[in-house]
Amino acid sequence: MELALSVVVPVKDEADNVAPLAREIAAAVKDEGPSEIIFVDDGSSDGTIGVLSGLKPEIPFLRVIQHGRN
């Protein structure tokens, strides 16, 4: 499957903000064809990864890349 659009979002310690942002992006790209949203976590220590992981059932085209440290 060829993707029509990839959105890459770098984050660090954004646990309070990633869910609304991911949902907003998902709504914006829903009519663009096959898409993916990639969040690149740069060593967060506040639970950002947990929030993003919890969104995967809701947003199946969400991908999360985690760096071990900043």
Side-chain angles (χ1 to χ4, degrees):
M1 169 179 69
E2 187 172 318
L3 294 173
L5 182 65
S6 295
V7 178
V8 180
V9 183
V11 293
K12 182 174 190 305
D13 295 330
E14 294 289 344
D16 293 337
N17 301 313
V18 291
L21 179 59
R23 289 181 180 116
E24 198 169 318
I25 295 169
V29 303
K30 71 178 181 181
D31 296 327
E32 297 298 323
S35 301
E36 65 181 348
I37 305 169
I38 304 168
F39 277 81
V40 180
D41 180 81
D42 197 16
S44 291
S45 60
D46 70 342
T48 298
I49 289 296
V51 174
L52 289 169
S53 296
L55 289 170
K56 286 185 178 187
E58 179 182 338
I59 307 171
F61 50 96
L62 174 69
R63 308 286 178 254
V64 180
I65 298 171
Q66 182 180 16
H67 292 241
R69 61 184 178 90
N70 178 271

